[in-house]
Amino acid sequence: MTFKTKATGLVGAMMLSAGFVLASAAPANAMGPMVEAMDQDVSAGTVTASKIMAGENGWLVVHRTDKDMKPGPVVGYAPIKKGENMDVAAILQEPVKSGEMLMLMVHAETGGMKTGIFEYTLGAKEDGPIKPDGKLVMKVVSAK
């Protein structure tokens, strides 16, 4: 009888642990699109997002920006896949000086002439920014 109680307690503890793991995993899976990045040295000609969550295949697009926080000209981009993307580096297509601000933004791979070719220009619809709930998915960083 004592053994049965201990076993039941062990099974109950295991079930509780499993339930806890499942409960804590659910919010991570339900996470929407996002970009994580920090201020960084761009002297090697790249800028990196440490983590991107994407609902579809698309692009990490690097826009110039300033204190007004409006996306400016595109200075780099890199492909991303649906789901979690870690350490996504975009090659900068023009010099970026220390202190300049960059907006790392998620764009879709839609509306263009060719899949896998980045076709966006400011204001265009091809491969444009995604806007869940009407908001851009982006992170602003400063170049060091």
Side-chain angles (χ1 to χ4, degrees):
M1 187 77 157
T2 305
F3 177 77
K4 187 174 183 180
T5 305
K6 285 183 180 177
T8 303
L10 178 61
V11 170
M14 287 171 47
M15 290 174 63
L16 180 61
S17 293
F20 175 75
V21 169
L22 291 175
S24 62
N29 293 337
M31 182 182 294
M34 51 80 77
V35 178
E36 287 181 3
M38 298 175 57
D39 295 349
Q40 58 194 277
D41 179 0
V42 298
S43 63
T46 63
V47 63
T48 301
S50 55
K51 181 177 181 178
I52 299 173
M53 293 297 294
E56 60 189 82
N57 293 338
W59 303 96
L60 165 64
V61 179
V62 182
H63 292 267
R64 289 189 183 275
T65 191
D66 57 23
K67 61 183 167 125
D68 293 334
M69 298 294 174
K70 292 183 181 176
V74 173
V75 295
Y77 57 89
I80 56 175
K81 63 181 172 47
K82 178 180 179 177
E84 183 178 273
N85 296 261
M86 301 299 292
D87 300 319
V88 178
I91 296 172
L92 297 171
Q93 298 168 342
E94 55 187 66
V96 173
K97 296 177 185 172
S98 180
E100 290 185 307
M101 297 169 71
L102 299 172
M103 183 177 285
L104 283 58
M105 184 184 301
V106 176
H107 281 232
E109 172 50 61
T110 56
M113 298 293 285
K114 294 185 178 183
T115 300
I117 304 295
F118 182 66
E119 300 174 81
Y120 178 81
T121 56
L122 272 183
K125 292 186 172 131
E126 298 82 11
D127 298 341
I130 66 167
K131 295 182 182 178
D133 301 323
K135 297 179 182 174
L136 295 170
V137 178
M138 59 85 178
K139 174 72 176 172
V140 174
V141 300
S142 292
K144 292 184 179 183

PDB file of all heavy atoms in Angstrom, residues 77-115:
ATOM      1  N   TYR A  77      18.917  43.483 -47.081  1.00  0.00           N
ATOM      2  CA  TYR A  77      17.837  42.522 -46.864  1.00  0.00           C
ATOM      3  C   TYR A  77      18.413  41.110 -46.855  1.00  0.00           C
ATOM      4  O   TYR A  77      19.525  40.869 -47.337  1.00  0.00           O
ATOM      5  CB  TYR A  77      16.736  42.640 -47.930  1.00  0.00           C
ATOM      6  CG  TYR A  77      17.224  42.483 -49.342  1.00  0.00           C
ATOM      7  CD1 TYR A  77      17.283  41.231 -49.949  1.00  0.00           C
ATOM      8  CD2 TYR A  77      17.652  43.586 -50.084  1.00  0.00           C
ATOM      9  CE1 TYR A  77      17.742  41.088 -51.253  1.00  0.00           C
ATOM     10  CE2 TYR A  77      18.107  43.452 -51.372  1.00  0.00           C
ATOM     11  CZ  TYR A  77      18.141  42.203 -51.959  1.00  0.00           C
ATOM     12  OH  TYR A  77      18.601  42.060 -53.239  1.00  0.00           O
ATOM     13  N   ALA A  78      17.653  40.194 -46.264  1.00  0.00           N
ATOM     14  CA  ALA A  78      18.043  38.783 -46.216  1.00  0.00           C
ATOM     15  C   ALA A  78      16.761  37.946 -46.177  1.00  0.00           C
ATOM     16  O   ALA A  78      15.768  38.371 -45.587  1.00  0.00           O
ATOM     17  CB  ALA A  78      18.885  38.495 -44.972  1.00  0.00           C
ATOM     18  N   PRO A  79      16.769  36.765 -46.791  1.00  0.00           N
ATOM     19  CA  PRO A  79      15.579  35.913 -46.757  1.00  0.00           C
ATOM     20  C   PRO A  79      15.358  35.325 -45.372  1.00  0.00           C
ATOM     21  O   PRO A  79      16.307  35.076 -44.631  1.00  0.00           O
ATOM     22  CB  PRO A  79      15.899  34.811 -47.773  1.00  0.00           C
ATOM     23  CG  PRO A  79      17.384  34.766 -47.841  1.00  0.00           C
ATOM     24  CD  PRO A  79      17.869  36.158 -47.553  1.00  0.00           C
ATOM     25  N   ILE A  80      14.083  35.112 -45.033  1.00  0.00           N
ATOM     26  CA  ILE A  80      13.716  34.418 -43.795  1.00  0.00           C
ATOM     27  C   ILE A  80      12.680  33.360 -44.137  1.00  0.00           C
ATOM     28  O   ILE A  80      11.970  33.471 -45.137  1.00  0.00           O
ATOM     29  CB  ILE A  80      13.185  35.375 -42.702  1.00  0.00           C
ATOM     30  CG1 ILE A  80      11.995  36.199 -43.198  1.00  0.00           C
ATOM     31  CG2 ILE A  80      14.303  36.264 -42.189  1.00  0.00           C
ATOM     32  CD1 ILE A  80      11.342  37.065 -42.135  1.00  0.00           C
ATOM     33  N   LYS A  81      12.602  32.345 -43.305  1.00  0.00           N
ATOM     34  CA  LYS A  81      11.643  31.265 -43.523  1.00  0.00           C
ATOM     35  C   LYS A  81      10.501  31.377 -42.519  1.00  0.00           C
ATOM     36  O   LYS A  81      10.623  32.050 -41.498  1.00  0.00           O
ATOM     37  CB  LYS A  81      12.327  29.906 -43.400  1.00  0.00           C
ATOM     38  CG  LYS A  81      12.904  29.622 -42.013  1.00  0.00           C
ATOM     39  CD  LYS A  81      13.585  28.272 -41.975  1.00  0.00           C
ATOM     40  CE  LYS A  81      14.351  27.970 -40.737  1.00  0.00           C
ATOM     41  NZ  LYS A  81      13.767  28.225 -39.455  1.00  0.00           N
ATOM     42  N   LYS A  82       9.411  30.724 -42.825  1.00  0.00           N
ATOM     43  CA  LYS A  82       8.282  30.671 -41.907  1.00  0.00           C
ATOM     44  C   LYS A  82       8.747  30.043 -40.605  1.00  0.00           C
ATOM     45  O   LYS A  82       9.481  29.059 -40.618  1.00  0.00           O
ATOM     46  CB  LYS A  82       7.157  29.833 -42.521  1.00  0.00           C
ATOM     47  CG  LYS A  82       5.955  29.677 -41.624  1.00  0.00           C
ATOM     48  CD  LYS A  82       4.876  28.843 -42.290  1.00  0.00           C
ATOM     49  CE  LYS A  82       3.690  28.689 -41.358  1.00  0.00           C
ATOM     50  NZ  LYS A  82       2.608  27.939 -42.002  1.00  0.00           N
ATOM     51  N   GLY A  83       8.351  30.629 -39.479  1.00  0.00           N
ATOM     52  CA  GLY A  83       8.714  30.104 -38.171  1.00  0.00           C
ATOM     53  C   GLY A  83       9.858  30.896 -37.557  1.00  0.00           C
ATOM     54  O   GLY A  83      10.016  32.086 -37.798  1.00  0.00           O
ATOM     55  N   GLU A  84      10.668  30.196 -36.767  1.00  0.00           N
ATOM     56  CA  GLU A  84      11.763  30.839 -36.035  1.00  0.00           C
ATOM     57  C   GLU A  84      13.017  30.919 -36.892  1.00  0.00           C
ATOM     58  O   GLU A  84      13.420  29.945 -37.512  1.00  0.00           O
ATOM     59  CB  GLU A  84      12.057  30.035 -34.770  1.00  0.00           C
ATOM     60  CG  GLU A  84      13.126  30.651 -33.908  1.00  0.00           C
ATOM     61  CD  GLU A  84      13.349  29.848 -32.639  1.00  0.00           C
ATOM     62  OE1 GLU A  84      12.645  30.102 -31.650  1.00  0.00           O
ATOM     63  OE2 GLU A  84      14.209  28.951 -32.663  1.00  0.00           O
ATOM     64  N   ASN A  85      13.619  32.096 -36.915  1.00  0.00           N
ATOM     65  CA  ASN A  85      14.879  32.348 -37.628  1.00  0.00           C
ATOM     66  C   ASN A  85      15.850  32.944 -36.617  1.00  0.00           C
ATOM     67  O   ASN A  85      15.530  33.947 -35.978  1.00  0.00           O
ATOM     68  CB  ASN A  85      14.653  33.357 -38.756  1.00  0.00           C
ATOM     69  CG  ASN A  85      13.709  32.850 -39.830  1.00  0.00           C
ATOM     70  OD1 ASN A  85      14.144  32.389 -40.859  1.00  0.00           O
ATOM     71  ND2 ASN A  85      12.398  32.942 -39.593  1.00  0.00           N
ATOM     72  N   MET A  86      17.010  32.362 -36.490  1.00  0.00           N
ATOM     73  CA  MET A  86      17.995  32.839 -35.521  1.00  0.00           C
ATOM     74  C   MET A  86      19.204  33.442 -36.248  1.00  0.00           C
ATOM     75  O   MET A  86      19.644  32.917 -37.272  1.00  0.00           O
ATOM     76  CB  MET A  86      18.469  31.691 -34.623  1.00  0.00           C
ATOM     77  CG  MET A  86      17.345  31.008 -33.842  1.00  0.00           C
ATOM     78  SD  MET A  86      16.465  32.094 -32.701  1.00  0.00           S
ATOM     79  CE  MET A  86      17.736  32.401 -31.497  1.00  0.00           C
ATOM     80  N   ASP A  87      19.724  34.535 -35.699  1.00  0.00           N
ATOM     81  CA  ASP A  87      20.944  35.184 -36.204  1.00  0.00           C
ATOM     82  C   ASP A  87      20.893  35.423 -37.715  1.00  0.00           C
ATOM     83  O   ASP A  87      21.736  34.950 -38.468  1.00  0.00           O
ATOM     84  CB  ASP A  87      22.182  34.363 -35.815  1.00  0.00           C
ATOM     85  CG  ASP A  87      22.320  34.237 -34.312  1.00  0.00           C
ATOM     86  OD1 ASP A  87      22.070  35.235 -33.612  1.00  0.00           O
ATOM     87  OD2 ASP A  87      22.642  33.137 -33.831  1.00  0.00           O
ATOM     88  N   VAL A  88      19.902  36.195 -38.140  1.00  0.00           N
ATOM     89  CA  VAL A  88      19.728  36.519 -39.560  1.00  0.00           C
ATOM     90  C   VAL A  88      20.562  37.758 -39.874  1.00  0.00           C
ATOM     91  O   VAL A  88      20.315  38.837 -39.336  1.00  0.00           O
ATOM     92  CB  VAL A  88      18.246  36.771 -39.899  1.00  0.00           C
ATOM     93  CG1 VAL A  88      18.093  37.146 -41.370  1.00  0.00           C
ATOM     94  CG2 VAL A  88      17.408  35.550 -39.551  1.00  0.00           C
ATOM     95  N   ALA A  89      21.548  37.604 -40.754  1.00  0.00           N
ATOM     96  CA  ALA A  89      22.437  38.710 -41.121  1.00  0.00           C
ATOM     97  C   ALA A  89      22.078  39.229 -42.514  1.00  0.00           C
ATOM     98  O   ALA A  89      21.951  38.449 -43.459  1.00  0.00           O
ATOM     99  CB  ALA A  89      23.891  38.249 -41.099  1.00  0.00           C
ATOM    100  N   ALA A  90      21.914  40.538 -42.614  1.00  0.00           N
ATOM    101  CA  ALA A  90      21.680  41.188 -43.903  1.00  0.00           C
ATOM    102  C   ALA A  90      22.944  41.942 -44.289  1.00  0.00           C
ATOM    103  O   ALA A  90      23.523  42.661 -43.469  1.00  0.00           O
ATOM    104  CB  ALA A  90      20.502  42.145 -43.804  1.00  0.00           C
ATOM    105  N   ILE A  91      23.372  41.770 -45.528  1.00  0.00           N
ATOM    106  CA  ILE A  91      24.534  42.502 -46.045  1.00  0.00           C
ATOM    107  C   ILE A  91      24.076  43.917 -46.393  1.00  0.00           C
ATOM    108  O   ILE A  91      23.088  44.102 -47.111  1.00  0.00           O
ATOM    109  CB  ILE A  91      25.123  41.808 -47.286  1.00  0.00           C
ATOM    110  CG1 ILE A  91      25.658  40.435 -46.896  1.00  0.00           C
ATOM    111  CG2 ILE A  91      26.215  42.666 -47.923  1.00  0.00           C
ATOM    112  CD1 ILE A  91      26.095  39.580 -48.074  1.00  0.00           C
ATOM    113  N   LEU A  92      24.778  44.901 -45.854  1.00  0.00           N
ATOM    114  CA  LEU A  92      24.448  46.301 -46.128  1.00  0.00           C
ATOM    115  C   LEU A  92      24.942  46.671 -47.522  1.00  0.00           C
ATOM    116  O   LEU A  92      26.088  46.380 -47.882  1.00  0.00           O
ATOM    117  CB  LEU A  92      25.057  47.209 -45.063  1.00  0.00           C
ATOM    118  CG  LEU A  92      24.506  46.964 -43.655  1.00  0.00           C
ATOM    119  CD1 LEU A  92      25.324  47.739 -42.623  1.00  0.00           C
ATOM    120  CD2 LEU A  92      23.039  47.344 -43.580  1.00  0.00           C
ATOM    121  N   GLN A  93      24.099  47.307 -48.299  1.00  0.00           N
ATOM    122  CA  GLN A  93      24.420  47.637 -49.688  1.00  0.00           C
ATOM    123  C   GLN A  93      25.029  49.027 -49.855  1.00  0.00           C
ATOM    124  O   GLN A  93      25.377  49.415 -50.965  1.00  0.00           O
ATOM    125  CB  GLN A  93      23.159  47.506 -50.540  1.00  0.00           C
ATOM    126  CG  GLN A  93      22.643  46.079 -50.515  1.00  0.00           C
ATOM    127  CD  GLN A  93      21.252  45.956 -51.103  1.00  0.00           C
ATOM    128  OE1 GLN A  93      20.521  46.937 -51.246  1.00  0.00           O
ATOM    129  NE2 GLN A  93      20.883  44.745 -51.447  1.00  0.00           N
ATOM    130  N   GLU A  94      25.143  49.733 -48.748  1.00  0.00           N
ATOM    131  CA  GLU A  94      25.808  51.035 -48.757  1.00  0.00           C
ATOM    132  C   GLU A  94      26.353  51.289 -47.357  1.00  0.00           C
ATOM    133  O   GLU A  94      25.919  50.644 -46.398  1.00  0.00           O
ATOM    134  CB  GLU A  94      24.854  52.148 -49.190  1.00  0.00           C
ATOM    135  CG  GLU A  94      23.585  52.250 -48.394  1.00  0.00           C
ATOM    136  CD  GLU A  94      22.605  53.260 -48.996  1.00  0.00           C
ATOM    137  OE1 GLU A  94      22.102  53.020 -50.101  1.00  0.00           O
ATOM    138  OE2 GLU A  94      22.366  54.284 -48.327  1.00  0.00           O
ATOM    139  N   PRO A  95      27.307  52.195 -47.229  1.00  0.00           N
ATOM    140  CA  PRO A  95      27.899  52.440 -45.912  1.00  0.00           C
ATOM    141  C   PRO A  95      26.882  52.967 -44.898  1.00  0.00           C
ATOM    142  O   PRO A  95      25.993  53.742 -45.239  1.00  0.00           O
ATOM    143  CB  PRO A  95      28.967  53.507 -46.183  1.00  0.00           C
ATOM    144  CG  PRO A  95      29.206  53.465 -47.653  1.00  0.00           C
ATOM    145  CD  PRO A  95      27.927  52.995 -48.278  1.00  0.00           C
ATOM    146  N   VAL A  96      27.027  52.513 -43.663  1.00  0.00           N
ATOM    147  CA  VAL A  96      26.218  52.995 -42.543  1.00  0.00           C
ATOM    148  C   VAL A  96      27.207  53.450 -41.476  1.00  0.00           C
ATOM    149  O   VAL A  96      28.076  52.686 -41.067  1.00  0.00           O
ATOM    150  CB  VAL A  96      25.287  51.888 -41.998  1.00  0.00           C
ATOM    151  CG1 VAL A  96      24.581  52.366 -40.739  1.00  0.00           C
ATOM    152  CG2 VAL A  96      24.287  51.461 -43.060  1.00  0.00           C
ATOM    153  N   LYS A  97      27.085  54.693 -41.044  1.00  0.00           N
ATOM    154  CA  LYS A  97      28.013  55.262 -40.075  1.00  0.00           C
ATOM    155  C   LYS A  97      27.566  54.981 -38.648  1.00  0.00           C
ATOM    156  O   LYS A  97      26.381  54.834 -38.369  1.00  0.00           O
ATOM    157  CB  LYS A  97      28.117  56.780 -40.281  1.00  0.00           C
ATOM    158  CG  LYS A  97      28.692  57.177 -41.616  1.00  0.00           C
ATOM    159  CD  LYS A  97      28.690  58.677 -41.755  1.00  0.00           C
ATOM    160  CE  LYS A  97      29.148  59.096 -43.150  1.00  0.00           C
ATOM    161  NZ  LYS A  97      28.982  60.525 -43.371  1.00  0.00           N
ATOM    162  N   SER A  98      28.530  54.970 -37.758  1.00  0.00           N
ATOM    163  CA  SER A  98      28.248  54.817 -36.336  1.00  0.00           C
ATOM    164  C   SER A  98      27.280  55.912 -35.894  1.00  0.00           C
ATOM    165  O   SER A  98      27.425  57.075 -36.278  1.00  0.00           O
ATOM    166  CB  SER A  98      29.554  54.911 -35.545  1.00  0.00           C
ATOM    167  OG  SER A  98      29.298  54.770 -34.172  1.00  0.00           O
ATOM    168  N   GLY A  99      26.262  55.529 -35.141  1.00  0.00           N
ATOM    169  CA  GLY A  99      25.262  56.467 -34.662  1.00  0.00           C
ATOM    170  C   GLY A  99      24.012  56.520 -35.517  1.00  0.00           C
ATOM    171  O   GLY A  99      22.971  57.000 -35.069  1.00  0.00           O
ATOM    172  N   GLU A 100      24.083  56.036 -36.762  1.00  0.00           N
ATOM    173  CA  GLU A 100      22.891  56.018 -37.607  1.00  0.00           C
ATOM    174  C   GLU A 100      21.919  54.947 -37.112  1.00  0.00           C
ATOM    175  O   GLU A 100      22.325  53.947 -36.529  1.00  0.00           O
ATOM    176  CB  GLU A 100      23.258  55.764 -39.072  1.00  0.00           C
ATOM    177  CG  GLU A 100      23.971  56.932 -39.708  1.00  0.00           C
ATOM    178  CD  GLU A 100      24.232  56.734 -41.191  1.00  0.00           C
ATOM    179  OE1 GLU A 100      24.807  55.692 -41.568  1.00  0.00           O
ATOM    180  OE2 GLU A 100      23.851  57.621 -41.966  1.00  0.00           O
ATOM    181  N   MET A 101      20.632  55.196 -37.354  1.00  0.00           N
ATOM    182  CA  MET A 101      19.591  54.261 -36.914  1.00  0.00           C
ATOM    183  C   MET A 101      19.118  53.417 -38.089  1.00  0.00           C
ATOM    184  O   MET A 101      18.949  53.921 -39.201  1.00  0.00           O
ATOM    185  CB  MET A 101      18.424  55.036 -36.303  1.00  0.00           C
ATOM    186  CG  MET A 101      18.814  55.810 -35.056  1.00  0.00           C
ATOM    187  SD  MET A 101      17.534  56.975 -34.533  1.00  0.00           S
ATOM    188  CE  MET A 101      16.298  55.836 -33.945  1.00  0.00           C
ATOM    189  N   LEU A 102      18.900  52.135 -37.793  1.00  0.00           N
ATOM    190  CA  LEU A 102      18.413  51.193 -38.799  1.00  0.00           C
ATOM    191  C   LEU A 102      17.149  50.519 -38.288  1.00  0.00           C
ATOM    192  O   LEU A 102      17.067  50.145 -37.119  1.00  0.00           O
ATOM    193  CB  LEU A 102      19.471  50.127 -39.097  1.00  0.00           C
ATOM    194  CG  LEU A 102      20.799  50.643 -39.652  1.00  0.00           C
ATOM    195  CD1 LEU A 102      21.818  49.518 -39.705  1.00  0.00           C
ATOM    196  CD2 LEU A 102      20.594  51.263 -41.029  1.00  0.00           C
ATOM    197  N   MET A 103      16.181  50.360 -39.166  1.00  0.00           N
ATOM    198  CA  MET A 103      14.930  49.689 -38.838  1.00  0.00           C
ATOM    199  C   MET A 103      14.959  48.310 -39.494  1.00  0.00           C
ATOM    200  O   MET A 103      14.989  48.208 -40.714  1.00  0.00           O
ATOM    201  CB  MET A 103      13.744  50.516 -39.351  1.00  0.00           C
ATOM    202  CG  MET A 103      12.395  49.946 -39.007  1.00  0.00           C
ATOM    203  SD  MET A 103      11.034  51.027 -39.584  1.00  0.00           S
ATOM    204  CE  MET A 103      11.122  52.351 -38.375  1.00  0.00           C
ATOM    205  N   LEU A 104      14.983  47.265 -38.668  1.00  0.00           N
ATOM    206  CA  LEU A 104      14.978  45.889 -39.159  1.00  0.00           C
ATOM    207  C   LEU A 104      13.522  45.439 -39.183  1.00  0.00           C
ATOM    208  O   LEU A 104      12.873  45.366 -38.140  1.00  0.00           O
ATOM    209  CB  LEU A 104      15.804  44.992 -38.242  1.00  0.00           C
ATOM    210  CG  LEU A 104      17.327  45.097 -38.396  1.00  0.00           C
ATOM    211  CD1 LEU A 104      17.852  46.489 -38.163  1.00  0.00           C
ATOM    212  CD2 LEU A 104      18.012  44.112 -37.487  1.00  0.00           C
ATOM    213  N   MET A 105      12.998  45.166 -40.377  1.00  0.00           N
ATOM    214  CA  MET A 105      11.571  44.966 -40.563  1.00  0.00           C
ATOM    215  C   MET A 105      11.287  43.658 -41.308  1.00  0.00           C
ATOM    216  O   MET A 105      12.051  43.266 -42.195  1.00  0.00           O
ATOM    217  CB  MET A 105      11.021  46.140 -41.377  1.00  0.00           C
ATOM    218  CG  MET A 105       9.526  46.144 -41.572  1.00  0.00           C
ATOM    219  SD  MET A 105       8.986  47.515 -42.633  1.00  0.00           S
ATOM    220  CE  MET A 105       9.583  48.939 -41.732  1.00  0.00           C
ATOM    221  N   VAL A 106      10.174  43.030 -40.960  1.00  0.00           N
ATOM    222  CA  VAL A 106       9.744  41.816 -41.661  1.00  0.00           C
ATOM    223  C   VAL A 106       8.865  42.210 -42.843  1.00  0.00           C
ATOM    224  O   VAL A 106       7.888  42.952 -42.690  1.00  0.00           O
ATOM    225  CB  VAL A 106       8.970  40.864 -40.725  1.00  0.00           C
ATOM    226  CG1 VAL A 106       8.454  39.650 -41.495  1.00  0.00           C
ATOM    227  CG2 VAL A 106       9.852  40.420 -39.566  1.00  0.00           C
ATOM    228  N   HIS A 107       9.242  41.726 -44.018  1.00  0.00           N
ATOM    229  CA  HIS A 107       8.470  41.912 -45.249  1.00  0.00           C
ATOM    230  C   HIS A 107       8.007  40.552 -45.744  1.00  0.00           C
ATOM    231  O   HIS A 107       8.652  39.533 -45.480  1.00  0.00           O
ATOM    232  CB  HIS A 107       9.343  42.548 -46.341  1.00  0.00           C
ATOM    233  CG  HIS A 107       9.532  44.020 -46.206  1.00  0.00           C
ATOM    234  ND1 HIS A 107       9.276  44.898 -47.244  1.00  0.00           N
ATOM    235  CD2 HIS A 107       9.973  44.786 -45.179  1.00  0.00           C
ATOM    236  CE1 HIS A 107       9.557  46.133 -46.860  1.00  0.00           C
ATOM    237  NE2 HIS A 107       9.984  46.091 -45.608  1.00  0.00           N
ATOM    238  N   ALA A 108       6.928  40.537 -46.503  1.00  0.00           N
ATOM    239  CA  ALA A 108       6.390  39.308 -47.084  1.00  0.00           C
ATOM    240  C   ALA A 108       7.103  38.991 -48.400  1.00  0.00           C
ATOM    241  O   ALA A 108       7.787  39.836 -48.971  1.00  0.00           O
ATOM    242  CB  ALA A 108       4.895  39.469 -47.338  1.00  0.00           C
ATOM    243  N   GLU A 109       6.907  37.789 -48.862  1.00  0.00           N
ATOM    244  CA  GLU A 109       7.375  37.375 -50.198  1.00  0.00           C
ATOM    245  C   GLU A 109       6.117  37.215 -51.056  1.00  0.00           C
ATOM    246  O   GLU A 109       5.693  36.121 -51.386  1.00  0.00           O
ATOM    247  CB  GLU A 109       8.163  36.061 -50.082  1.00  0.00           C
ATOM    248  CG  GLU A 109       8.546  35.396 -51.386  1.00  0.00           C
ATOM    249  CD  GLU A 109       9.216  36.309 -52.389  1.00  0.00           C
ATOM    250  OE1 GLU A 109      10.286  36.853 -52.084  1.00  0.00           O
ATOM    251  OE2 GLU A 109       8.665  36.495 -53.479  1.00  0.00           O
ATOM    252  N   THR A 110       5.472  38.346 -51.359  1.00  0.00           N
ATOM    253  CA  THR A 110       4.214  38.301 -52.094  1.00  0.00           C
ATOM    254  C   THR A 110       4.102  39.442 -53.093  1.00  0.00           C
ATOM    255  O   THR A 110       4.680  40.508 -52.896  1.00  0.00           O
ATOM    256  CB  THR A 110       2.999  38.412 -51.143  1.00  0.00           C
ATOM    257  OG1 THR A 110       3.123  39.606 -50.378  1.00  0.00           O
ATOM    258  CG2 THR A 110       2.881  37.218 -50.223  1.00  0.00           C
ATOM    259  N   GLY A 111       3.345  39.184 -54.139  1.00  0.00           N
ATOM    260  CA  GLY A 111       2.996  40.234 -55.083  1.00  0.00           C
ATOM    261  C   GLY A 111       4.017  40.538 -56.148  1.00  0.00           C
ATOM    262  O   GLY A 111       3.739  41.306 -57.056  1.00  0.00           O
ATOM    263  N   GLY A 112       5.191  39.972 -56.067  1.00  0.00           N
ATOM    264  CA  GLY A 112       6.217  40.273 -57.063  1.00  0.00           C
ATOM    265  C   GLY A 112       6.120  39.377 -58.285  1.00  0.00           C
ATOM    266  O   GLY A 112       5.238  38.529 -58.408  1.00  0.00           O
ATOM    267  N   MET A 113       7.050  39.570 -59.188  1.00  0.00           N
ATOM    268  CA  MET A 113       7.084  38.789 -60.416  1.00  0.00           C
ATOM    269  C   MET A 113       7.734  37.419 -60.205  1.00  0.00           C
ATOM    270  O   MET A 113       7.415  36.475 -60.906  1.00  0.00           O
ATOM    271  CB  MET A 113       7.862  39.551 -61.502  1.00  0.00           C
ATOM    272  CG  MET A 113       7.223  40.887 -61.866  1.00  0.00           C
ATOM    273  SD  MET A 113       5.628  40.701 -62.665  1.00  0.00           S
ATOM    274  CE  MET A 113       6.159  40.188 -64.279  1.00  0.00           C
ATOM    275  N   LYS A 114       8.685  37.340 -59.263  1.00  0.00           N
ATOM    276  CA  LYS A 114       9.410  36.090 -59.045  1.00  0.00           C
ATOM    277  C   LYS A 114       9.531  35.789 -57.567  1.00  0.00           C
ATOM    278  O   LYS A 114       9.884  36.664 -56.775  1.00  0.00           O
ATOM    279  CB  LYS A 114      10.817  36.170 -59.646  1.00  0.00           C
ATOM    280  CG  LYS A 114      10.837  36.283 -61.149  1.00  0.00           C
ATOM    281  CD  LYS A 114      12.253  36.231 -61.661  1.00  0.00           C
ATOM    282  CE  LYS A 114      12.255  36.291 -63.173  1.00  0.00           C
ATOM    283  NZ  LYS A 114      13.602  36.181 -63.714  1.00  0.00           N
ATOM    284  N   THR A 115       9.282  34.546 -57.193  1.00  0.00           N
ATOM    285  CA  THR A 115       9.472  34.106 -55.816  1.00  0.00           C
ATOM    286  C   THR A 115      10.965  33.997 -55.541  1.00  0.00           C
ATOM    287  O   THR A 115      11.721  33.503 -56.375  1.00  0.00           O
ATOM    288  CB  THR A 115       8.791  32.739 -55.603  1.00  0.00           C
ATOM    289  OG1 THR A 115       7.399  32.889 -55.870  1.00  0.00           O
ATOM    290  CG2 THR A 115       8.986  32.239 -54.187  1.00  0.00           C
TER     291      THR A 115
END
